[in-house]
Amino acid sequence: MSSFFTAPASQRKRKRPQNDDQATAKRDVPPTKRKETRDESISGSDVSDNEAHAEDYGASQDSDSESDTEDVSSKRIRLAEQYLANTQKEVLVEEGVDAADVDADNLRRRMGDRLKEDTAESKGKLYRWIADEMDWGGAERSVAKMQGQSVTGVAVQGRFAYTVSKDLAVSKWEMPTHEAPMRNGKQIGRVRSTPKRVAYSRGVRSKKQDRDYLHHTGAILCVAASQDGKFVATGGLDNRIVVWDAATLKPLKVFTQHRDTVSSLAFRRGTNQLFSASRDRTVKIWSLDELAYVETLFGHQDEVVDVSALAQEKCVTVGARDRTARQWKVVEESQLVFRGGGAPGRSKADRSARGALDPSTTLGPEQKAYNEGSMDRVACIDDETFITGSDNGSLSLWNVHKKKAVFTYALAHGLDPPLPLSALSAEEHPTAAVQGEPQPRWITALRAIPFSDTFVSGSWDGVIRVWRITEDKRRIESLGVVGPSVDGMPDLLHTESVSSETLSDHSSTLKAPQQSPLAHGPIVGVINDLAIVDRGERAKDGVLIAAAAGKQHRLGRWSEFAEGKNCLVIFEVPRKMHGAVNTGMPEAAVDKNGQVSPEAVAKKADAPEDSAMDVEDLSPVSRQVLRETSDAAGTSQDGVREGLYEPAKDVEGEAVEDTFAGFDD
């Protein structure tokens, strides 16, 4: 047996090697030698690099010393002066003038307004009151018809719009330019007044089991575009979220973490952070800069059908039949719950106020109040205010400081007439007992301009309705519909100074060209989604509205409009002409500042007093309305003159001073 196991422990100590002095010497060597050698090996023999590094280091030390010597108040003043200089430069660029030519008082006022707006937006407050500045009735409409199944979603970014549909198609559209393409100063094409498809991609249903397939394998229900124009995200029935390159519509990433249908998407303003809502009752957060999953939010008791977000790290969602809206505070890891579910109030004061604003939709004393069964749509106004739309046709205004709705506008899109008896009963002669009641039209689309008092809604009544929030943020007021309508014919005739002779003399001419009902007339079908953006700096060029219309509702096939069209509808809403006077002049006689040229005034003075303009002098919108209503307006001259236009009346029925539609006082 080895002596190692039999010898005492004292004798089993390991002996040090003979070169202990050498080992000790190695351990005693200071580490600086190795560091210096390593530095020499890295830096090499180039001395100028070391000198440059030393100079940079000295410069940084000098700047640090300067910043240390600068007082806090002095630094604050310096930054404020720099901010004011940048703001003044931006204001001058918007005005298009030099600093020497602009009035000091006017510049000071505009800079003050800009500073107030920047402060309000940084605090998440509503500060843009633009609803009354837009000519909603004068909006120009263009339509892009699409083959296939219903269009379910639309998003607008810059001069492009993105649409998705139930047939797995994603399309990118270029907005109408209304200008002919030019090359080397020469026109090379025709003026395009309709959206043009510039990119298209379609998925395959048979790839459902392929998890690496970079596309959708089921109906696409929602779409969102980032504010910087880099990403487009889509979600659908296949539980997938597909991230696309916005420029080429090339798929970049597919997220499959959701366990059920992805029903809504929303980008956080100014970032590439994405919120997704799903039927699995969760809200997930994604970072598209890293193409990665971030977090999941739990709380809803039913499917989450819509989500909306602004600049803060918060979002607001609605939970369908749990009848709640929830504001999620991601940083604080908390949520606020707002409960609906009741019928809208019908107090006497509320009915009188609604009657003064919109007599056609006033709830009468005998009108039935419909209970809210599902909260389907949501749109954020600012960080403290949001709007919801429900299946009972009501629009509700909410404030984060109150658990109940501040105001509810019932039957925003009216009632659907009951079905005919032949469709309700198989009997040859059905009785009236099986006749149902009129049902409210759901709010199927809802969008708002962030930090403004304006939002729009859609259903299947054929129109897009515009709404305004009052300055005290306690009421919702109706502004009518987007685009010209037959109801606005009297005011339009008076505004354009059109007499009965013009209408009767040109009736045969107006009947000849038959326009497509898609471009002029009601939108037949369901408005599944809306997008509204301001054009130009702070909506100085008006507002653009995009609507996704289809034969079926985006979430199901409960009903189908046989005569409906699957299409993308674009409305370009201009601003009203401030300071203009309604002189009956053609549009060519009024300059961009709203002033009428002297030549046009002289021409108007030479004409007889009762004469009216020719049809050729009218605006395109006015000519179209005249064309569409020529048959309905074919009455006697006296009837047209007296019946088509009546002076405005106050509540007691007395006539008051006439006001001209589309112009400010």
Side-chain angles (χ1 to χ4, degrees):
M1 183 176 293
S2 175
S3 61
F4 181 82
F5 297 100
T6 58
S10 60
Q11 299 179 7
R12 285 191 277 115
K13 291 183 179 180
R14 300 194 180 192
K15 295 182 180 181
R16 293 181 180 274
Q18 296 298 329
N19 53 354
D20 285 345
D21 297 338
Q22 298 178 1
T24 305
K26 289 183 179 180
R27 287 196 300 270
D28 294 339
V29 173
T32 57
K33 289 289 184 179
R34 178 176 299 177
K35 184 175 182 181
E36 291 175 0
T37 304
R38 184 173 181 272
D39 291 341
E40 291 177 0
S41 64
I42 293 176
S43 61
S45 60
D46 192 355
V47 181
S48 61
D49 292 344
N50 291 334
E51 294 176 353
H53 177 71
E55 292 176 359
D56 294 342
Y57 179 76
S60 62
Q61 289 284 67
D62 295 339
S63 62
D64 292 341
S65 62
E66 290 177 0
S67 62
D68 293 339
T69 57
E70 184 180 14
D71 186 60
V72 177
S73 59
S74 301
K75 184 177 181 180
R76 186 181 296 113
I77 294 174
R78 177 174 58 84
L79 294 177
E81 291 176 350
Q82 183 179 357
Y83 173 73
L84 290 175
N86 294 336
T87 304
Q88 178 178 350
K89 186 183 297 183
E90 292 178 0
V91 171
L92 292 176
V93 170
E94 292 177 8
E95 294 294 329
V97 296
D98 296 332
D101 300 333
V102 70
D103 185 14
D105 295 336
N106 188 22
L107 178 61
R108 190 180 300 109
R109 178 181 59 82
R110 291 186 177 275
M111 288 184 62
D113 295 340
R114 173 63 65 85
L115 293 177
K116 291 179 182 179
E117 292 177 359
D118 293 344
T119 303
E121 184 166 353
S122 63
K123 293 183 178 180
K125 301 291 186 180
L126 188 154
Y127 66 92
R128 304 172 59 191
W129 308 96
I130 63 175
D132 294 332
E133 299 178 0
M134 301 299 162
D135 184 11
W136 303 104
E140 297 183 4
R141 180 164 74 172
S142 57
V143 180
K145 184 179 178 182
M146 285 179 271
Q147 303 294 332
Q149 301 182 20
S150 295
V151 185
T152 56
V154 61
V156 175
Q157 175 54 44
R159 60 189 184 94
F160 296 103
Y162 303 88
T163 60
V164 294
S165 59
K166 288 187 177 182
D167 53 1
L168 287 67
V170 183
S171 301
K172 179 181 179 180
W173 304 82
E174 186 178 4
M175 296 295 183
T177 58
H178 302 288
E179 296 179 358
M182 305 293 291
R183 180 183 299 172
N184 298 329
K186 297 182 179 180
Q187 180 176 338
I188 60 174
R190 295 181 301 177
V191 178
R192 182 169 52 83
S193 59
T194 58
K196 176 185 178 182
R197 180 182 288 172
V198 295
Y200 176 82
S201 180
R202 185 170 181 177
V204 180
R205 297 182 186 272
S206 60
K207 298 284 188 177
K208 187 175 183 179
Q209 302 301 327
D210 187 1
R211 297 180 62 89
D212 297 330
Y213 181 57
L214 294 179
H215 212 297
H216 284 282
T217 59
I220 310 177
L221 302 182
C222 53
V223 61
S226 62
Q227 193 173 6
D228 60 1
K230 293 176 58 178
F231 299 105
V232 172
T234 57
L237 284 175
D238 53 1
N239 310 347
R240 294 185 172 202
I241 298 175
V242 182
V243 181
W244 310 79
D245 179 14
T248 61
L249 276 191
K250 177 184 177 181
L252 303 176
K253 182 72 174 180
V254 175
F255 297 117
T256 59
Q257 282 85 340
H258 275 295
R259 301 170 62 184
D260 208 334
T261 300
V262 180
S263 54
S264 182
L265 297 168
F267 276 96
R268 178 183 164 198
R269 282 174 59 86
T271 69
N272 290 324
Q273 189 177 55
L274 178 68
F275 296 94
S276 62
S278 172
R279 287 182 180 173
D280 60 7
R281 299 182 293 181
T282 66
V283 180
K284 293 186 183 295
I285 307 174
W286 317 84
S287 175
L288 297 194
D289 289 328
E290 293 81 16
L291 295 177
Y293 160 80
V294 177
E295 192 177 355
T296 301
L297 309 176
F298 299 90
H300 276 289
Q301 303 302 310
D302 196 18
E303 59 185 75
V304 189
V305 291
D306 200 10
V307 59
S308 180
L310 292 178
Q312 300 294 328
E313 201 164 357
K314 303 175 183 178
C315 67
V316 180
T317 58
V318 287
R321 294 199 172 273
D322 70 358
R323 295 184 290 276
T324 64
R326 297 173 186 254
Q327 185 189 54
W328 306 86
K329 300 180 180 180
V330 179
V331 177
E332 293 87 349
E333 296 183 354
S334 62
Q335 57 178 290
L336 298 177
V337 183
F338 307 90
R339 301 193 180 276
R346 295 185 296 128
S347 64
K348 183 177 180 180
D350 183 49
R351 289 198 302 270
S352 62
R354 286 173 54 95
L357 296 173
D358 193 357
S360 62
T361 58
T362 304
L363 280 175
E366 71 284 352
Q367 180 65 59
K368 176 182 177 180
Y370 295 88
N371 289 307
E372 185 179 48
S374 175
M375 198 178 291
D376 297 332
R377 283 297 193 175
V378 63
C380 289
I381 301 296
D382 58 19
D383 287 343
E384 296 182 351
T385 311
F386 61 93
I387 304 288
T388 60
S390 306
D391 64 346
N392 64 344
S394 62
L395 294 170
S396 298
L397 176 65
W398 301 81
N399 189 283
V400 295
H401 302 295
K402 295 181 179 294
K403 294 299 182 182
K404 292 293 184 180
V406 177
F407 181 80
T408 299
Y409 196 107
L411 301 178
H413 285 262
L415 294 170
D416 247 353
L419 294 175
L421 294 178
S422 58
L424 295 173
S425 175
E427 299 291 338
E428 184 177 358
H429 301 288
T431 62
V434 299
Q435 183 73 51
E437 297 181 352
Q439 295 298 319
R441 298 185 179 98
W442 308 346
I443 304 298
T444 58
L446 187 65
R447 284 292 181 268
I449 300 179
F451 305 109
S452 76
D453 61 339
T454 307
F455 67 97
V456 292
S457 64
S459 186
W460 56 81
D461 57 346
V463 296
I464 298 174
R465 298 191 179 272
V466 192
W467 310 88
R468 172 183 58 196
I469 298 176
T470 57
E471 293 188 8
D472 57 0
K473 300 182 184 179
R474 298 189 62 86
R475 300 190 69 84
I476 297 174
E477 298 178 352
S478 174
L479 296 178
V481 301
V482 180
S485 62
V486 178
D487 297 337
M489 182 66 181
D491 293 337
L492 182 62
L493 292 177
H494 182 78
T495 303
E496 298 285 1
S497 300
V498 180
S499 66
S500 58
E501 291 83 355
T502 303
L503 199 62
S504 59
D505 294 343
H506 295 272
S507 59
S508 58
T509 306
L510 294 174
K511 291 179 183 179
Q514 193 69 21
Q515 297 292 331
S516 170
L518 280 177
H520 309 281
I523 304 174
V524 182
V526 183
I527 299 177
N528 285 316
D529 197 10
L530 289 170
I532 179 170
V533 294
D534 46 0
R535 305 168 63 192
E537 185 70 20
R538 284 162 173 78
K540 67 177 182 180
D541 296 330
V543 170
L544 186 140
I545 302 174
K551 295 182 179 181
Q552 300 175 351
H553 191 279
R554 73 183 187 102
L555 297 179
R557 296 181 293 176
W558 302 286
S559 62
E560 182 172 352
F561 293 84
E563 299 180 356
K565 302 296 182 182
N566 303 321
C567 58
L568 168 67
V569 186
I570 303 294
F571 291 92
E572 298 178 68
V573 183
R575 292 182 71 96
K576 292 180 180 178
M577 299 168 59
H578 292 279
V581 179
N582 183 22
T583 59
M585 297 296 175
E587 292 181 349
V590 183
D591 59 15
K592 62 181 180 179
N593 297 323
Q595 303 297 327
V596 182
S597 63
E599 294 79 4
V601 175
K603 182 179 179 181
K604 183 73 176 181
D606 295 338
E609 181 178 359
D610 294 333
S611 64
M613 293 187 305
D614 294 334
V615 177
E616 290 76 8
D617 294 332
L618 301 180
S619 64
V621 174
S622 306
R623 290 199 300 269
Q624 181 57 36
V625 173
L626 287 174
R627 183 181 297 112
E628 293 176 352
T629 57
S630 58
D631 294 334
T635 57
S636 63
Q637 296 182 0
D638 295 337
V640 172
R641 188 183 300 274
E642 298 176 1
L644 285 181
Y645 176 76
E646 295 180 358
K649 296 182 179 181
D650 58 10
V651 179
E652 289 78 18
E654 299 178 356
V656 296
E657 184 179 358
D658 295 347
T659 57
F660 302 126
F663 294 86
D664 292 340
D665 292 336

